[in-house]
Amino acid sequence: MFKLVCSRVWTSCWGRLRWSDPPPPSPEESSNGWQQWRREVTARREAGAFLSLRQLQLLSRCAFVNTHLFPQVLSGEEEVFSEPEIVGSCESWYELMVARVLFTTPLVMSSDYDLVYSAEAAMKTFGVVSPEPLDSLLLAALKHSPLEVVYGAKLAEFLIIEYASSLLAHPSLWQVAMDYLSECPTQGRHHMVLHLERIPLTSARKAAKVLQLCRKFQLKELEESVCRVMAMKELRSGRLGAAFSWCLQSQDSVFAAFLAERYFTSYQTLGEFMDLDLLDNLGAAMLISKKLTFLGKYREFHQLFADGEFRPAGQLLVSLLTSGVVPKRFWLTLLMDSLPLLNLKDEIVFSSEDTVALSHCLQQLTSSHSRIDQSQSTSKSHDSEKAPPPDQSSKLSLLRVALCRNLALATLQEAELS
């Protein structure tokens, strides 16, 4: 509609101007033509020629601007750009600045007109008291200050972060927001971690998506945190195997050691392993922590025993007890596992050296028991020595007898072979 109005003015006013043939008119000719345009439009406005234009009246109603203001804009009167109706129709000060420059000084690119003055006047008219970073960048560009414009690159990062933050508010676009943040070299990673930490891990599927982003952008600490949170959720629900699966994904050695102890404690209580598939497929993951290594090797001992490979099983058991990877509070369980091997009738599994090593472990366990009984205190360390309960005294006695018998038999056998 505005185009129709301008076309009529153009036909009646601008068409009167006479331009030279190509090349284009010189700056002087253009300036003279612009001044003639202004005089023609002003004369027609004062004569009331625009009042009969129905399109102009309709445009005024749509824009909520008085009809007489549009001819003033077309004639390039600077005062009209301070009118509240004109200022209110602009969304920002630089929109007001562009309108003012184009309608009052359209030949700005071919003159020495000060754009900074126009920008500052527009900011003042628009009521800008404290310039935003974008305002400062635009002013720097108008002042032809390359250094300030380069520093304005920080503004670009700021705007990207702000846009990414708006995407995060949408439940389906938070993953896209991470791609935007990854393009911000200074603050992007910090905001990425900050936003990902706040995402509620309501399901395993959502947690898997967060983990995928952590691995994509190499957020190792956050990856471990997500896995730890999910593992604790599974642990509280009694799903120890699922908790292990989450832990192994992050390669968190500390938490893996904690879960390995919980797993072995569960085995001591139930007398059997849970989630055998997980244990049987640990592979290289058992090297994450010593306690997880112990758990994997202990499962291997049970498999060898079940397959009737008693001597390899016995060697593995002795290796576990003497390697230092088994907490002392678990020694009694492993020593009791040696009892069926010590009591075999047709085979001597443990050599005299192995038997001495097992006896040494038993002696340490018994000595610790005696010291703790006397002092009535326990260590506060994670691998603190805890005495076995009194009802296990009979187990200690059985082990002592079996070890003495096996030592005698193994010594005789070795003497005969030598």
Side-chain angles (χ1 to χ4, degrees):
M1 186 179 295
F2 188 68
K3 184 177 180 181
L4 292 174
V5 175
C6 291
S7 66
R8 290 197 177 190
V9 176
W10 181 279
T11 302
S12 59
C13 299
W14 195 260
R16 292 168 177 254
L17 302 180
R18 294 293 180 266
W19 303 104
S20 60
D21 295 330
S26 64
E28 291 76 12
E29 290 178 319
S30 299
S31 178
N32 292 334
W34 167 241
Q35 295 301 326
Q36 185 177 344
W37 157 271
R38 294 186 63 184
R39 288 193 296 269
E40 185 69 25
V41 173
T42 301
R44 287 177 174 267
R45 175 174 61 81
E46 292 175 351
F50 297 113
L51 296 178
S52 60
L53 291 176
R54 180 173 176 273
Q55 295 92 336
L56 186 61
Q57 296 173 1
L58 292 175
L59 181 62
S60 300
R61 293 196 203 112
C62 293
F64 303 101
V65 177
N66 291 331
T67 307
H68 72 279
L69 293 179
F70 284 105
Q72 287 181 267
V73 171
L74 293 174
S75 62
E77 296 185 14
E78 290 195 19
E79 295 78 9
V80 74
F81 292 97
S82 299
E83 293 289 337
E85 294 170 289
I86 298 296
V87 176
S89 65
C90 298
E91 296 183 1
S92 60
W93 67 264
Y94 38 88
E95 185 176 338
L96 178 64
M97 181 201 75
V98 171
R100 181 174 180 171
V101 169
L102 290 180
F103 283 105
T104 61
T105 317
L107 307 176
V108 62
M109 298 306 295
S110 60
S111 68
D112 295 328
Y113 187 84
D114 190 359
L115 285 176
V116 178
Y117 164 77
S118 182
E120 291 175 346
M123 291 176 68
K124 182 178 180 180
T125 303
F126 210 75
V128 177
V129 178
S130 301
E132 296 291 334
L134 179 60
D135 302 332
S136 301
L137 177 63
L138 290 175
L139 286 175
L142 294 175
K143 292 176 182 178
H144 303 287
S145 177
L147 187 60
E148 291 186 43
V149 175
V150 170
Y151 283 135
K154 295 181 179 179
L155 173 64
E157 183 168 323
F158 168 77
L159 295 176
I160 293 175
I161 290 174
E162 286 297 308
Y163 180 65
S165 299
S166 66
L167 292 179
L168 286 164
H170 195 283
S172 301
L173 298 177
W174 60 274
Q175 295 178 82
V176 179
M178 296 301 110
D179 290 323
Y180 279 97
L181 291 175
S182 67
E183 297 298 323
C184 302
T186 306
Q187 295 292 326
R189 189 178 183 85
H190 168 74
H191 284 274
M192 194 182 301
V193 173
L194 191 65
H195 288 301
L196 286 176
E197 284 178 338
R198 295 176 180 176
I199 295 175
L201 306 176
T202 53
S203 64
R205 183 179 179 183
K206 196 165 188 178
K209 291 181 179 179
V210 175
L211 276 183
Q212 183 180 9
L213 290 173
C214 290
R215 289 163 185 161
K216 179 179 179 181
F217 300 114
Q218 299 179 353
L219 305 175
K220 181 63 177 177
E221 293 183 2
L222 184 58
E223 180 183 349
E224 292 181 359
S225 176
V226 171
C227 290
R228 189 179 293 112
V229 169
M230 294 304 296
M232 289 303 298
K233 282 186 176 182
E234 299 292 354
L235 192 60
R236 294 190 187 101
S237 302
R239 295 187 288 269
L240 189 56
F244 245 126
S245 297
W246 282 108
C247 177
L248 295 179
Q249 288 190 59
S250 66
Q251 304 287 300
D252 186 346
S253 59
V254 176
F255 198 59
F258 167 75
L259 289 179
E261 286 206 23
R262 291 291 297 267
Y263 198 97
F264 194 80
T265 302
S266 174
Y267 165 77
Q268 288 180 308
T269 303
L270 301 176
E272 61 180 1
F273 289 109
M274 299 184 300
D275 302 292
L276 287 178
D277 288 342
L278 178 66
L279 281 183
D280 294 340
N281 294 283
L282 280 177
M286 72 169 63
L287 300 177
I288 295 175
S289 75
K290 290 182 178 180
K291 292 177 181 177
L292 191 57
T293 302
F294 153 64
L295 191 61
K297 290 297 183 180
Y298 186 64
R299 168 58 183 162
E300 184 180 341
F301 159 76
H302 277 271
Q303 288 177 316
L304 292 172
F305 186 87
D307 294 338
E309 299 183 25
F310 300 130
R311 191 171 294 276
Q315 293 295 318
L316 181 55
L317 191 63
V318 173
S319 176
L320 286 174
L321 283 166
T322 58
S323 63
V325 300
V326 183
K328 189 169 287 188
R329 59 181 171 275
F330 297 152
W331 279 15
L332 183 59
T333 301
L334 271 67
L335 286 170
M336 290 302 298
D337 287 331
S338 70
L339 198 56
L341 297 174
L342 290 168
N343 292 329
L344 289 175
K345 295 181 179 180
D346 302 329
E347 184 179 358
I348 299 177
V349 173
F350 299 105
S351 65
S352 59
E353 184 179 352
D354 293 337
T355 309
V356 170
L358 293 175
S359 299
H360 181 66
C361 292
L362 181 62
Q363 182 60 34
Q364 287 189 59
L365 197 60
T366 305
S367 300
S368 299
H369 187 184
S370 301
R371 287 196 304 269
I372 293 173
D373 282 343
Q374 292 173 3
S375 62
Q376 294 296 315
S377 63
T378 57
S379 173
K380 294 182 179 180
S381 64
H382 189 63
D383 286 324
S384 61
E385 298 176 351
K386 296 183 179 180
D391 60 350
Q392 293 181 351
S393 298
S394 58
K395 295 181 180 179
L396 295 174
S397 299
L398 288 173
L399 282 168
R400 191 175 296 109
V401 172
L403 286 169
C404 290
R405 173 181 173 274
N406 191 85
L407 181 59
L409 293 175
T411 302
L412 289 174
Q413 185 184 62
E414 291 168 7
E416 291 175 359
L417 292 175
S418 63

